[in-house]
Amino acid sequence: MPVPWFLLSLALGRSPVVLSLERLVGSQDATHCSPGLSCHLWDSDILCLPGDIVPAPGPVLAPTHLQTELVLRCQKETDCDLCLRVAVHLAVHGHWEEPEDEEKFGGAADSGVEEPRNASLQAQVVLSFQAYPTARCVLLEVQVPAALVQFGQSVGSVVYDCFEAALGSEVRIWSYTQPRYEKELNHTQQLPDCRGLEVRNSIPSCWALPWLNVSADGDNVHLVLNVSEEQHFGLSLYWNQVQGPPKPRWHKNLTGPQIITLNHTDLVPCLCIQVWPLEPDSVRTNICPFREDPRAHRNLWQAARLRLLTLQSWLLDAPCWLPAEAALCWRAPGGDPCQPLVPPLSWENVTVDKVLEFPLLKGHPNLCVQVNSSEKLQLQECLWADSLGPLKDDVLLLETRGPQDNRSLCALEPSGCTSLPSKASTRAARLGEYLLQDLQSGQCLQLWDDDLGALWACPMDKYIHKRWALVWLACLLFAAALSLILLLKKDHAKGWLRLLKQDVRSGAAARGRAALLLYSADDSGFERLVGALASALCQLPLRVAVDLWSRRELSAQGPVAWFHAQRRQTLQEGGVVVLLFSPGAVALCSEWLQDGVSGPGAHGPHDAFRASLSCVLPDFLQGRAPGSYVGACFDRLLHPDAVPALFRTVPVFTLPSQLPDFLGALQQPRAPRSGRLLERAEQVSRALQPALDSYFHPPGTPAPGRGVGPGAGDGT
């Protein structure tokens, strides 16, 4: 038995209040104002064009406050519509200019001042209304006599009767003057529905509306519609949008009493319910009961995704509007928190589904985007890692520029920004001299630049290699001394050699098996999907090579030479070659099998898959492929049966459904099956899911199967 959660009638708020409304007779709009003021309403609506803010030429009238009131506009006693009355409160802003300044502005049109010091003030006040799908603007002319002109004081108000809107709709109101001297006022008014109105019998559209309750049963939510068995009505679930039309999620035409179950994971703040009787000219009534539900807000952030569009542009994809701001941060390898680059960069306001840009010169895998809401971190993604590879052991240098060409440099570290040069004991301080030399010689990558400073990424690999070279030299000397001792003690030599062999094997296992990933560059979206898979595999004990991360070497050596070198190195180290099949790869393989050569210009100059076929095919034809090759394809993109039969002599896995078996095939041939294989498969699946969603469901396209209610996705 469902437990009552909260009862929602078709009225505003969780506890509907019965309203008794004033009645207006007639269909004409009207205006009236405070005593002493004169006002006039233009006969027709105007275009809603606020224009830019301009300097006030002297004292002007400006809106200071908006006040709304619900009324009924009636043609007769039982034929009324809900209407919104708006009062605009006005005040005198600005000051008289000095005489010479008055001469300067003397020729200005529409100055709003008739005579200096003792003139009346006039203003054209615009009221803009928006209640989807209706929008209109009206113009009110107001005149204040000189006796009431007091600087900074309120002069009264002008009232507009009235704006008709649909029951249950949300009305957004703006007010400003023409010309506009200040930022416009805005106000949002949620209109009640039929059950919040004492006079609902006077509104024809309220006579046959069904009764709707919302209740909870554990994690599920029930929509209970108590209507007669003969009552036919429509029910629709949709995502209400701040800008633009709603996004429909589910729609049904129903009859009689109904109980519709929603899963708690489908709740988001903008999920709204629309219900209406299936009768001519019936009004559709809307409620949005989950705006304040904590579960809905958690689901909203879990559904939000950051998507990289180009090097500099990206967007936040989410079902609903989010109050959020974003900034870049720098994430170093080793699990340290991502450090916001504020300053020198700044937080930027984020609008859902609107393309945003960061002023970057180059991308870097260590650059990530943080999204905050209410000063709390909600989302963080390293957008450039999929296309540029895993995190690099680079140091970020922050250059600050001051007056007279003064500049200072510091290296970003977990403990803060270390000035260079410095005598501190941090890693960047010890290598500060070398980092400055690399910066001057052009070995650092500039990521951002403006008048206030710049960001540089300087590689640290060579310094780490030098340090490890000394370690290896010491190890070799130790091994030589140990060998000499073992020669003197033959009886113990075999035992030491066995231990040494085990250590070498365990070290190789820890270093990870080499994997060469080959694919056909069908399109940029598929390349991003491949980059996401390669990045996810790098988090495992695998050393992944893919042409996407080696464009410079690929261009210098040529695709054929680059692939031959990578294949030879991978197989010599006991690694595995992964053939990632797509529709383009299957077509190319079939063409090779038929003609023995690929058509010219069919693929780009960096397509290593096309270049690899000349030596991959002999391995398969001569039976050398098993044990050294595996195949893979993505669910919903290609069925394994579409792969040519020659290539099915090695295992072909579908991803992500067969990830555990795929990762098992990538392990060392004689390595034991790790108990963490399922955990690693889940880790790879989570890392791959955003890229799969982006590829199969581009931004703005609702994903199949994400509908709510019974028969989700089946509209009528």
Side-chain angles (χ1 to χ4, degrees):
M1 184 70 181
V3 178
W5 179 36
F6 58 91
L7 301 179
L8 281 176
S9 69
L10 303 179
L12 175 63
R14 299 194 177 192
S15 301
V17 177
V18 177
L19 302 177
S20 179
L21 305 182
E22 177 185 345
R23 294 171 180 261
L24 302 179
V25 180
S27 59
Q28 295 296 321
D29 293 349
T31 184
H32 57 275
C33 45
S34 301
L37 307 185
S38 60
C39 52
H40 170 70
L41 172 68
W42 275 37
D43 295 335
S44 59
D45 291 354
I46 63 171
L47 294 177
C48 302
L49 299 174
D52 297 329
I53 296 178
V54 298
V60 293
L61 290 177
T64 59
H65 177 62
L66 293 178
Q67 188 175 355
T68 59
E69 180 186 358
L70 294 176
V71 295
L72 289 178
R73 172 175 281 172
C74 303
Q75 302 299 321
K76 53 185 179 180
E77 184 69 22
T78 59
D79 186 9
C80 301
D81 292 302
L82 194 61
C83 208
L84 189 62
R85 169 185 290 166
V86 180
V88 184
H89 294 265
L90 302 171
V92 178
H93 289 180
H95 300 280
W96 296 111
E97 303 290 345
E98 295 299 324
E100 55 270 19
D101 293 331
E102 292 178 354
E103 293 177 3
K104 183 190 303 183
F105 290 107
D110 298 328
S111 65
V113 184
E114 294 179 357
E115 295 291 339
R117 307 289 180 177
N118 58 356
S120 62
L121 291 182
Q122 292 182 348
Q124 293 184 336
V125 179
V126 178
L127 279 175
S128 174
F129 299 92
Q130 184 177 8
Y132 184 83
T134 304
R136 60 179 298 205
C137 285
V138 297
L139 182 64
L140 312 174
E141 290 186 336
V142 185
Q143 184 170 358
V144 179
L148 296 180
V149 176
Q150 299 288 334
F151 298 131
Q153 298 295 319
S154 174
V155 297
S157 61
V158 57
V159 178
Y160 168 70
D161 281 331
C162 59
F163 175 73
E164 293 185 17
L167 295 165
S169 64
E170 184 178 78
V171 182
R172 297 176 182 272
I173 310 166
W174 291 268
S175 180
Y176 51 89
T177 59
Q178 282 190 344
R180 189 159 66 99
Y181 302 117
E182 297 180 359
K183 184 178 180 180
E184 65 269 19
L185 296 179
N186 64 82
H187 177 77
T188 300
Q189 177 74 42
Q190 180 69 46
L191 301 189
D193 290 299
C194 294
R195 258 171 260 156
L197 300 175
E198 185 182 70
V199 290
R200 56 181 176 269
N201 292 333
S202 300
I203 303 178
S205 59
C206 290
W207 295 346
L209 284 178
W211 183 274
L212 173 64
N213 293 331
V214 181
S215 64
D217 183 13
D219 287 338
N220 295 324
V221 174
H222 296 317
L223 305 182
V224 183
L225 292 101
N226 297 320
V227 296
S228 64
E229 294 183 358
E230 297 81 16
Q231 177 70 57
H232 301 279
F233 60 92
L235 182 71
S236 176
L237 303 181
Y238 64 93
W239 287 344
N240 190 34
Q241 304 297 300
V242 173
Q243 295 181 346
K247 294 182 180 179
R249 306 299 297 165
W250 181 76
H251 167 73
K252 282 284 187 180
N253 291 337
L254 303 171
T255 302
Q258 294 284 340
I259 298 179
I260 298 172
T261 301
L262 307 179
N263 192 290
H264 72 97
T265 58
D266 296 318
L267 304 183
V268 290
C270 63
L271 180 63
C272 299
I273 306 165
Q274 186 180 77
V275 62
W276 67 98
L278 295 178
E279 298 176 358
D281 300 325
S282 61
V283 173
R284 300 191 175 206
T285 304
N286 305 271
I287 60 172
C288 302
F290 310 109
R291 286 175 177 166
E292 306 299 330
D293 191 330
R295 294 180 301 176
H297 284 272
R298 286 195 298 269
N299 293 339
L300 177 58
W301 280 110
Q302 291 173 0
R305 291 288 183 271
L306 297 177
R307 304 186 188 277
L308 183 66
L309 304 179
T310 65
L311 169 65
Q312 295 178 323
S313 61
W314 60 280
L315 60 81
L316 174 63
D317 184 20
C320 314
W321 175 84
L322 288 169
E325 54 183 6
L328 287 175
C329 66
W330 179 264
R331 183 181 177 189
D336 291 322
C338 198
Q339 297 174 273
L341 301 179
V342 180
L345 301 178
S346 60
W347 289 99
E348 300 288 343
N349 291 328
V350 179
T351 302
V352 172
D353 292 336
K354 180 180 179 181
V355 177
L356 302 171
E357 291 189 356
F358 281 123
L360 291 176
L361 302 176
K362 297 286 185 180
H364 194 282
N366 294 28
L367 282 175
C368 306
V369 177
Q370 287 184 336
V371 179
N372 282 11
S373 180
S374 301
E375 299 184 354
K376 180 181 178 182
L377 178 62
Q378 298 286 358
L379 199 60
Q380 176 179 300
E381 291 189 25
C382 300
L383 300 179
W384 293 268
D386 289 344
S387 58
L388 300 179
L391 300 179
K392 295 182 179 180
D393 194 14
D394 290 359
V395 170
L396 187 70
L397 299 185
L398 278 67
E399 178 184 350
T400 303
R401 296 168 184 163
Q404 300 178 353
D405 295 331
N406 292 332
R407 73 171 190 168
S408 60
L409 285 167
C410 68
L412 191 64
E413 296 186 283
S415 58
C417 206
T418 305
S419 299
L420 297 180
S422 173
K423 296 182 179 180
S425 58
T426 63
R427 182 180 71 160
R430 289 193 297 268
L431 300 174
E433 182 179 349
Y434 301 104
L435 291 173
L436 293 176
Q437 291 176 0
D438 289 347
L439 180 62
Q440 294 173 358
S441 61
Q443 298 185 43
C444 297
L445 179 67
Q446 188 174 20
L447 305 178
W448 170 76
D449 182 52
D450 76 351
D451 295 336
L452 300 179
L455 295 176
W456 306 81
C458 298
M460 296 287 288
D461 295 343
K462 57 183 179 180
Y463 304 116
I464 296 174
H465 292 162
K466 288 179 181 178
R467 181 180 300 177
W468 281 108
L470 295 176
V471 174
W472 280 112
L473 181 59
C475 292
L476 290 175
L477 292 175
F478 175 76
L482 183 62
S483 300
L484 182 59
I485 295 173
L486 291 176
L487 288 175
L488 298 176
K489 296 184 178 182
K490 284 188 175 181
D491 293 340
H492 302 286
K494 291 184 179 180
W496 283 104
L497 288 175
R498 280 196 299 269
L499 291 175
L500 183 61
K501 187 176 181 180
Q502 291 176 1
D503 289 343
V504 170
R505 286 181 175 176
S506 63
R511 194 162 59 100
R513 192 183 188 191
L516 175 60
L517 191 59
L518 299 178
Y519 68 98
S520 173
D522 291 4
D523 52 53
S524 59
F526 188 71
E527 280 192 319
R528 287 194 293 270
L529 188 57
V530 173
L533 176 62
S535 297
L537 294 178
C538 283
Q539 307 302 319
L540 307 178
L542 289 172
R543 291 178 290 114
V544 180
V546 61
D547 68 327
L548 191 64
W549 299 343
S550 305
R551 292 299 169 93
R552 184 178 301 176
E553 294 86 347
L554 198 67
S555 299
Q557 301 175 18
V560 176
W562 181 87
F563 169 75
H564 276 285
Q566 293 293 328
R567 170 186 167 276
R568 181 173 61 253
Q569 179 181 350
T570 300
L571 297 182
Q572 285 177 352
E573 295 178 358
V576 60
V577 179
V578 181
L579 300 178
L580 192 57
F581 289 100
S582 63
V586 169
L588 200 56
C589 292
S590 301
E591 186 178 350
W592 268 87
L593 292 173
Q594 180 178 358
D595 301 332
V597 64
S598 177
H603 292 260
H606 300 306
D607 194 347
F609 188 86
R610 179 170 178 257
S612 68
L613 289 179
S614 60
C615 56
V616 166
L617 285 176
D619 287 344
F620 280 86
L621 293 172
Q622 298 172 20
R624 298 194 302 266
S628 300
Y629 288 80
V630 297
C633 58
F634 289 107
D635 296 322
R636 294 185 290 168
L637 183 62
L638 187 73
H639 195 277
D641 293 342
V643 176
L646 176 64
F647 296 97
R648 294 203 300 272
T649 56
V650 300
V652 178
F653 304 97
T654 58
L655 306 180
S657 59
Q658 294 182 332
L659 261 176
D661 296 333
F662 176 66
L663 298 183
L666 297 185
Q667 287 185 335
Q668 297 286 355
R670 288 178 294 277
R673 298 282 287 193
S674 172
R676 298 182 57 195
L677 194 59
L678 291 178
E679 179 182 343
R680 291 174 176 173
E682 181 64 24
Q683 176 184 350
V684 173
S685 178
R686 286 196 304 268
L688 193 59
Q689 195 58 47
L692 288 169
D693 293 341
S694 177
Y695 184 76
F696 290 108
H697 313 296
T701 304
R706 290 286 301 160
V708 289
D714 298 332
T716 58

